Amino acid sequence: MNGNQQRPQRPKRDPEEDNDLTVSRVLRNVLIWVGILVSLVMVGMLMSNGQRQEFPLTFNEYMEVVKSNRVQYATITKTQLNDFEFHGTLKEAITIQRDNRTVDVKNFRTKLGVVDSQTEALWREHGIGWSYESGDSPWWVSIVQLLPWALLLIAFFFVSRRMQMGAGGGKNIFSFGRSKARLLTEGNMQINFTDVAGADEAKEELREIVEFLRDPSRFTRLGGKIPRGVLLLGPPGTGKTLLARAVAGEAGVPFFTISGADFVEMFVGVGASRVRDLFENAKKQAPCIVFIDEIDAVGRHRGAGLGGGHDEREQTLNQLLVEMDGFEQNSGIIIIAATNRPDVLDPALLRPGRFDRQVVVDRPDMLGRLGILRVHTRKVPISKDVNLEIIAKGTPGMSGADLANLVNEAALLAARRNSMDVTMFDFENAKDKVLMGVERKSMVMSDKEKETTAYHEIGHALAGKLLKHGDAVHKVTIIPRGRALGVTSYLPNEEMHTMSREQLETRLVTLLAGRAAERVVFDQLNTGASNDLERATTITKKMVCEFGMSDVIGPVRYASQHDEVFLGREISQPRDHSEETARAIDGEVRRIIVDSEARAIQLMRDNIELLHRCSKALIEREILDSEELDVLIRGEELAPMIKDVASFREKMRTSTQAPSPEPSKGPDPGTEGLALSPS
């Protein structure tokens, strides 16, 4: 499928047709409920006005009430046995003792053998009026009597059908075992590889899947077998689901999509039944693709947690394992699954024959971010001053979803200004909003608190600027953003996949420099450095226990296992070191942090004049970028503040900027989340 090919458009629906459908739906519902009400009324009338309640009398009792002139009127009917029944109505109710109970009788019936002229003479003698009626009701009477029950049956049928229809329109509540997978065909798949950027390696791995689905004989004639399953691994927002949909769009085959959570229900056996139903439907559409999003919801390690785990979830996983690689080969069915928790998946799910390939979809590098920005700005009117390369360099560690959110925020900010296009000014503000949080302009800070925050943030910034291995400072602000009173944002100087001991020690000094600036200037401590201490302690513990960067502890890993319950591990983990080693670790962690703080304090004292000058400028302007900090460090005067789009464009045009450093791919696994330094 060519990306430039004209794709089929979904036919537009006529608004009048939609109105007609709505009206017809309302009328149908009204008629159903009217039928139900009519049926109930007719049944009630029949029950209340049907045959009158008659008390059976013996022949002797019948003769007694007749001869005592108590009978007012009678109806004589003939039974199927050619006997006659006397249905009489008394002038006044009488009391009869029957089976040790007292009964008030107004209407009665008595069986008579034969009615002859003598019997009629008796009735005539005692003033009884009578009439003969047929014992068999007319045919139309039977129909009338059955009509309410028929209406009730029809109403029950419609009500049960409505109850069986779920909110999704067509999901039967009685069909628990049916798969909830949605089938996408070539006509409604609008995504291909041209819509995916920043994952070139993953696309190359998946192109082979596409080629197999297009021409299987190309691989099978040489005895090769296509991978039965592909597992997409990566952090949230990196485009795993988008890649799977692009594979289906490129191959032009049916595409089943379902979430891992859709398999598991509260009823036992439902998940396994849905797995069987999913693969049965997939076999009918083969060759096809089955995409299971967030497979960790159903594919977690078996036997996890208390009591051996969740039996229903394990049954579902067992059925999935059998369907993927059982005795029956599912030829033409390719399973693509996505997860951001590969560590909790069951090993049987990851072996060859099930998920043969594991494709890592990581956060994009600078070129990948540039491609993603170009994809997301296709339909956004951007100004000529927008340089996507600069934006890509200034957004290290962002995923595809983060960049899409950045473009959207820039468009919203431009719309807020009633602008006809999105400018570089909007992108910069959107980047600050995404990286540092939303400005809380309504929050009022006292002058003392603002001064303390300014010295704190300038302490972070100067450490990043003056130290050899410090990260390049991007921006410093004392405007409250998010949950922080002030924020210092960094952009690392180069692409880093590992960090040296010197770099980590420099990062510790940078984190503690804000607290050190407060001690040097004000000779006091406050609560603003709690986040800095937390992150510094985390880094230090990893240096000592995981990275082997302590001369006292040595090259031994003492990392504690803190696996959560129900994630494939035991509820408790035994400590793998002695109490003496634990005390040594605690002492070494404290020593490294204290030494780092001492270095930070000495750095602030050596540059006290620069600290005062930069803090004063930050209090006046509230925001300082990297170039303005460099001007202050050189002892020069700052340029006028940028307050609007025109000033920003003039600065971008006239400034002689040094080449922008290549930002890093993001924080390494051991120091994740250290790109910002909020206070």
Side-chain angles (χ1 to χ4, degrees):
M1 182 181 295
N2 192 344
N4 298 325
Q5 184 179 353
Q6 183 70 25
R7 299 185 181 272
Q9 299 292 330
R10 183 179 296 177
K12 296 183 178 180
R13 302 184 63 175
D14 189 3
E16 296 183 358
E17 183 180 354
D18 294 338
N19 294 333
D20 294 339
L21 292 175
T22 304
V23 172
S24 62
R25 192 180 298 110
V26 171
L27 290 177
R28 183 181 61 187
N29 294 334
V30 170
L31 290 176
I32 291 174
W33 288 108
V34 168
I36 295 174
L37 293 176
V38 170
S39 302
L40 294 175
V41 171
M42 293 185 66
V43 170
M45 293 176 61
L46 285 177
M47 294 180 65
S48 61
N49 299 328
Q51 294 183 351
R52 58 187 179 178
Q53 295 182 356
E54 296 177 332
F55 190 82
L57 298 181
T58 63
F59 186 79
N60 293 332
E61 293 173 339
Y62 153 76
M63 292 299 295
E64 181 180 354
V65 296
V66 169
K67 291 181 179 181
S68 60
N69 298 326
R70 294 180 178 180
V71 180
Q72 182 178 4
Y73 188 80
T75 301
I76 315 301
T77 60
K78 190 175 183 180
T79 65
Q80 296 180 353
L81 300 176
N82 293 324
D83 292 332
F84 289 90
E85 279 190 350
F86 185 92
H87 302 272
T89 301
L90 300 177
K91 298 177 180 177
E92 296 180 357
I94 62 175
T95 302
I96 297 179
Q97 296 287 335
R98 184 69 58 82
D99 298 332
N100 296 325
R101 63 189 180 95
T102 303
V103 181
D104 294 331
V105 178
K106 177 68 173 179
N107 301 307
F108 69 94
R109 69 178 185 272
T110 302
K111 289 187 177 180
L112 305 176
V114 179
V115 177
D116 50 14
S117 57
Q118 295 181 357
T119 305
E120 293 179 353
L122 177 65
W123 295 342
R124 193 178 298 110
E125 179 183 354
H126 294 282
I128 300 175
W130 74 90
S131 63
Y132 289 93
E133 292 184 0
S134 176
D136 299 328
S137 303
W139 62 271
W140 59 269
V141 176
S142 301
I143 294 178
V144 171
Q145 292 178 350
L146 293 176
L147 182 61
W149 304 106
L151 291 176
L152 277 179
L153 184 62
I154 295 173
F156 175 77
F157 173 77
F158 279 105
V159 171
S160 61
R161 289 283 296 177
R162 299 285 296 192
M163 291 177 61
Q164 293 175 13
M165 304 295 290
K171 297 297 184 182
N172 195 323
I173 64 173
F174 299 108
S175 58
F176 298 108
R178 293 184 181 178
S179 172
K180 295 184 178 181
R182 295 185 298 114
L183 175 60
L184 303 178
T185 57
E186 187 176 0
N188 50 18
M189 288 185 296
Q190 308 291 327
I191 297 176
N192 55 21
F193 282 150
T194 59
D195 301 315
V196 182
D200 297 334
E201 294 84 359
K203 287 196 292 185
E204 281 301 318
E205 290 288 332
L206 296 174
R207 287 188 190 276
E208 190 172 323
I209 306 294
V210 175
E211 294 298 328
F212 173 80
L213 292 173
R214 289 178 175 176
D215 186 16
S217 61
R218 176 182 172 187
F219 300 88
T220 56
R221 63 184 177 88
L222 299 176
K225 296 181 180 179
I226 197 69
R228 189 165 302 164
V230 179
L231 184 62
L232 302 178
L233 311 174
T238 53
K240 299 182 294 293
T241 305
L242 186 65
L243 272 172
R245 298 184 64 183
V247 171
E250 289 284 342
V253 297
F255 182 75
F256 291 88
T257 176
I258 191 173
S259 172
D262 291 334
F263 289 110
V264 183
E265 290 281 357
M266 63 179 292
F267 304 102
V268 178
V270 172
S273 177
R274 288 177 177 175
V275 172
R276 289 191 295 268
D277 185 69
L278 171 62
F279 279 87
E280 288 177 0
N281 295 332
K283 292 175 186 176
K284 299 176 183 178
Q285 301 286 340
C288 64
I289 296 175
V290 176
F291 175 62
I292 305 176
D293 200 6
E294 305 296 342
I295 195 173
D296 54 278
V298 69
R300 292 193 174 188
H301 198 292
R302 288 170 290 182
L306 298 173
H310 194 301
D311 292 337
E312 165 62 12
R313 179 178 56 78
E314 292 190 1
Q315 289 182 18
T316 306
L317 176 58
N318 292 335
Q319 186 64 42
L320 181 62
L321 296 176
V322 172
E323 293 290 345
M324 291 186 66
D325 189 23
F327 290 103
E328 183 179 356
Q329 300 296 323
N330 298 318
S331 59
I333 302 176
I334 295 178
I335 311 297
I336 301 179
T339 181
N340 53 22
R341 295 295 308 276
D343 56 312
V344 302
L345 294 180
D346 194 275
L349 196 63
L350 303 176
R351 74 161 178 83
R354 293 193 175 106
F355 285 111
D356 306 271
R357 290 187 180 180
Q358 298 183 17
V359 179
V360 178
V361 187
D362 208 348
R363 290 186 174 92
D365 55 7
M366 197 280 291
L367 295 178
R369 294 194 297 271
L370 180 59
I372 294 173
L373 288 172
R374 288 172 177 172
V375 170
H376 289 296
T377 54
R378 288 176 181 174
K379 300 181 180 179
V380 177
I382 59 177
S383 177
K384 295 181 179 179
D385 67 333
V386 175
N387 192 334
L388 296 180
E389 185 175 354
I390 296 178
I391 300 174
K393 290 180 178 180
T395 52
M398 280 194 176
S399 63
D402 295 330
L403 294 172
N405 183 44
L406 173 65
V407 175
N408 184 63
E409 289 290 344
L412 295 178
L413 291 175
R416 191 179 301 173
R417 298 188 296 103
N418 293 325
S419 176
M420 299 302 296
D421 53 11
V422 184
T423 65
M424 194 68 178
F425 182 79
D426 299 317
F427 276 103
E428 287 293 331
N429 288 335
K431 184 174 66 174
D432 293 342
K433 183 179 180 180
V434 173
L435 289 177
M436 298 186 294
V438 182
E439 292 185 5
R440 293 187 293 167
K441 297 181 179 180
S442 59
M443 184 177 181
V444 180
M445 298 174 58
S446 63
D447 295 339
K448 181 63 176 178
E449 195 171 28
K450 185 180 293 185
E451 184 183 15
T452 304
T453 305
Y455 275 95
H456 184 102
E457 299 303 330
I458 289 298
H460 290 306
L462 288 182
K465 285 286 186 180
L466 300 177
L467 294 178
K468 180 179 179 182
H469 299 286
D471 291 330
V473 178
H474 170 61
K475 188 170 293 187
V476 185
T477 178
I478 57 173
I479 299 176
R481 288 182 175 269
R483 294 176 296 176
L485 297 179
V487 178
T488 303
S489 176
Y490 301 91
L491 291 181
N493 292 324
E494 57 186 2
E495 295 278 354
M496 294 185 298
H497 303 280
T498 59
M499 297 189 70
S500 64
R501 179 175 178 176
E502 290 76 14
Q503 289 174 323
L504 290 176
E505 290 176 348
T506 301
R507 182 158 290 182
L508 290 177
V509 176
T510 304
L511 285 171
L512 298 173
R515 172 185 167 100
E518 294 180 24
R519 293 188 61 178
V520 170
V521 177
F522 303 104
D523 193 20
Q524 65 178 18
L525 299 174
N526 57 40
T527 59
S530 61
N531 183 259
D532 300 329
L533 293 176
E534 179 184 355
R535 289 154 58 188
T537 305
T538 301
I539 295 175
T540 307
K541 286 184 177 180
K542 291 188 177 196
M543 291 174 61
V544 174
C545 299
E546 297 185 28
F547 305 149
M549 295 180 179
S550 171
D551 297 333
V552 176
I553 303 301
V556 182
R557 190 178 190 273
Y558 292 109
S560 302
Q561 301 293 331
H562 297 290
D563 298 303
E564 299 180 21
V565 185
F566 306 115
L567 294 185
R569 305 293 185 265
E570 300 294 334
I571 187 172
S572 63
Q573 291 286 340
R575 191 172 61 184
D576 54 359
H577 53 268
S578 64
E579 291 289 342
E580 183 180 355
T581 303
R583 285 194 293 268
I585 291 174
D586 293 339
E588 188 67 4
V589 170
R590 183 178 182 278
R591 183 192 65 80
I592 294 175
I593 293 179
V594 171
D595 291 347
S596 300
E597 186 182 30
R599 288 182 57 190
I601 292 175
Q602 188 62 42
L603 180 65
M604 296 297 105
R605 288 174 177 172
D606 295 340
N607 299 274
I608 186 67
E609 294 297 331
L610 182 60
L611 178 63
H612 289 306
R613 184 165 63 253
C614 294
S615 300
K616 182 180 179 181
L618 181 59
I619 295 173
E620 293 176 355
R621 294 177 174 245
E622 295 186 336
I623 298 177
L624 293 176
D625 58 17
S626 179
E627 296 177 2
E628 292 172 337
L629 285 173
D630 292 336
V631 171
L632 292 173
I633 293 174
R634 293 194 300 264
E636 302 174 1
E637 294 294 330
L638 292 175
M641 295 178 59
I642 300 174
K643 297 182 179 181
D644 52 17
V645 179
S647 301
F648 183 84
R649 289 177 173 175
E650 182 67 19
K651 177 185 176 182
M652 295 289 293
R653 186 179 64 85
T654 58
S655 61
T656 56
Q657 301 180 2
S660 300
E662 288 286 336
S664 79
K665 193 174 184 178
D668 64 284
T671 59
E672 185 177 358
L674 299 180
L676 302 178
S677 178
S679 300

